[in-house]
Amino acid sequence: MALISVDFAIFACVVILIFHISPVSFKKPWLLLASLFFYFLIDVRFFCVLAILGMTNYWLAIRSLASQKKALYSNAAFFIDISSFGLVKILSSHYLEQVSISSGSNGICWILPVGFSFYLLQLISFQLDFRAGRIKVIPSFMDFALFICYFPKVLSGPIEKPVNFLKQITSPRKMTSLDIYHGFGLIFIGLIRKLFIANILSVFMPDWISEAHSINWLQMIGYVILIYNDFAGYTAIVRGISHLLGIVLSPNFQQPLLSRNFSEFWTRWHMSLSTWLRETIFFPLSRKLGRNSGNFTEKMISIIIPPMLTMLASGFWHGASLAMM
């Protein structure tokens, strides 16, 4: 079900309408049911992958809480999540050319579950927050499942922090007219970006991959603007829909094309991913290596390794492979 389609528009309208006319006790179950149904419609196989990973992570978290060997279950969850993520990325990179030639192949579809990267990173975030004590009580399975498969964000994010999202669904706030105006405003801006900027640019842009030898700076700038508005448009639409459901999703872009340098661009482009990389990889590594740095060599390692591994993880997430290096 494509985001810009009559089917999705009808689906979103029905979900929002029933959400608002339902009693409070039914709102959360309705959102979960709608989210599961949405992902089930995309592909039952992808739904099964999401269900298995979600239930496995939840069971391991429960076992970790009840067992004296907490690290064993926690490490098992990390191993399953990270190895699943790595396996899918390696296979998807290996079969990239086959996907472009034969995207309908059943074997390839198994390798590339829709939204896989996004919900895997959120599963890893949940395990990290639970291990660090930021999540002190295991949420109900309904809350956990809604965090993983909430339909506005399941396909392409944003990547939500577990604590922030779970707080909104366990202690929902009363919606105001400002929320409704904001929601419709975001949807309108997103449609403008997707339909009137990204789509129009895509008509005039050449096949930049096959014509890379002849690409010029103007085409490169046009392509960046196209990608930015396509992704930012998607984010605005799903954030707007979520606003109408009483859940505020994180912003993903903050005018990155107006950045003064690459460092600023990094913090304003795909903000939920860059935040995840900083908080999950860069800062923990910097603190750990910084504490152990005594001589010159150790200090240089503490300076070089954290940003290097963070950038490698970012490249791996975007589909880079060892063969490309």
Side-chain angles (χ1 to χ4, degrees):
M1 188 186 299
L3 181 70
I4 306 297
S5 67
V6 175
D7 290 343
F8 182 81
I10 294 173
F11 173 82
C13 288
V14 170
V15 172
I16 293 168
L17 176 62
I18 295 178
F19 176 83
H20 284 284
I21 65 176
S22 298
V24 174
S25 60
F26 185 66
K27 291 184 184 295
K28 194 189 300 182
W30 168 244
L31 285 182
L32 178 58
L33 180 64
S35 298
L36 293 173
F37 180 68
F38 173 75
Y39 206 71
F40 185 86
L41 284 178
I42 294 172
D43 195 310
V44 65
R45 298 168 301 176
F46 299 168
F47 175 84
C48 292
V49 173
L50 174 61
I52 291 170
L53 283 170
M55 288 188 291
T56 301
N57 272 262
Y58 190 75
W59 181 81
L60 288 170
I62 293 291
R63 292 296 301 163
S64 175
L65 190 66
S67 172
Q68 293 183 344
K69 299 180 180 179
K70 293 183 178 181
L72 176 65
Y73 293 101
S74 179
N75 291 335
F78 284 129
F79 175 78
I80 291 170
D81 293 340
I82 294 173
S83 60
S84 298
F85 180 76
L87 178 64
V88 167
K89 282 298 180 182
I90 291 171
L91 291 175
S92 62
S93 176
H94 178 70
Y95 287 108
L96 184 60
E97 292 184 4
Q98 296 182 41
V99 170
S100 63
I101 297 171
S102 177
S103 59
S105 167
N106 290 332
I108 299 302
C109 287
W110 269 109
I111 294 170
L112 298 169
V114 178
F116 186 85
S117 298
F118 290 93
Y119 64 74
L120 248 296
L121 292 190
Q122 291 180 121
L123 283 173
I124 293 170
S125 293
F126 175 82
Q127 294 294 344
L128 286 171
D129 282 2
F130 177 62
R131 187 167 183 167
R134 289 184 287 270
I135 297 177
K136 301 184 183 303
V137 179
I138 297 293
S140 68
F141 184 73
M142 180 183 296
D143 291 348
F144 176 80
L146 187 56
F147 164 65
I148 297 302
C149 67
Y150 182 52
F151 81 91
K153 68 178 180 66
V154 71
L155 299 184
S156 296
I159 301 166
E160 292 297 316
K161 294 181 179 180
V163 174
N164 294 347
F165 189 90
L166 291 170
K167 183 179 179 180
Q168 292 189 78
I169 60 176
T170 53
S171 303
R173 60 186 179 81
K174 185 177 180 180
M175 290 183 63
T176 66
S177 57
L178 185 61
D179 291 312
I180 296 173
Y181 294 144
H182 194 185
F184 279 115
L186 283 169
I187 293 172
F188 177 75
I189 291 171
L191 289 173
I192 293 294
R193 285 184 179 277
K194 290 279 288 185
L195 296 177
F196 295 100
I197 300 179
N199 283 7
I200 291 175
L201 277 174
S202 66
V203 172
F204 294 100
M205 289 297 295
D207 184 355
W208 75 284
I209 296 178
S210 63
E211 299 180 10
H213 61 278
S214 62
I215 197 168
N216 56 46
W217 282 106
L218 184 61
Q219 291 170 335
M220 283 292 294
I221 293 171
Y223 185 74
V224 170
I225 295 173
L226 185 158
I227 293 297
Y228 166 53
N229 281 282
D230 187 68
F231 199 1
Y234 166 88
T235 302
I237 292 171
V238 298
R239 290 186 67 223
I241 292 171
S242 190
H243 258 81
L244 298 178
L245 295 169
I247 298 175
V248 179
L249 297 181
S250 305
N252 242 346
F253 298 90
Q254 191 177 27
Q255 292 82 45
L257 300 184
L258 300 180
S259 302
R260 291 166 294 183
N261 51 58
F262 181 77
S263 177
E264 186 177 334
F265 179 86
W266 169 259
T267 60
R268 294 166 68 171
W269 177 283
H270 207 335
M271 295 162 61
S272 64
L273 174 62
S274 58
T275 298
W276 190 94
L277 290 169
R278 286 198 305 271
E279 294 183 354
T280 306
I281 300 176
F282 181 78
F283 289 147
L285 271 176
S286 296
R287 287 192 291 266
K288 184 175 181 60
L289 293 175
R291 286 194 298 266
N292 299 329
S293 60
N295 55 43
F296 177 77
T297 302
E298 291 175 338
K299 287 181 179 179
M300 290 303 298
I301 290 174
S302 68
I303 293 172
I304 294 172
I305 294 299
M308 181 181 294
L309 289 182
T310 303
M311 294 304 292
L312 283 173
S314 177
F316 193 56
W317 188 89
H318 285 93
S321 67
L322 295 175
M324 298 171 62
M325 298 179 184

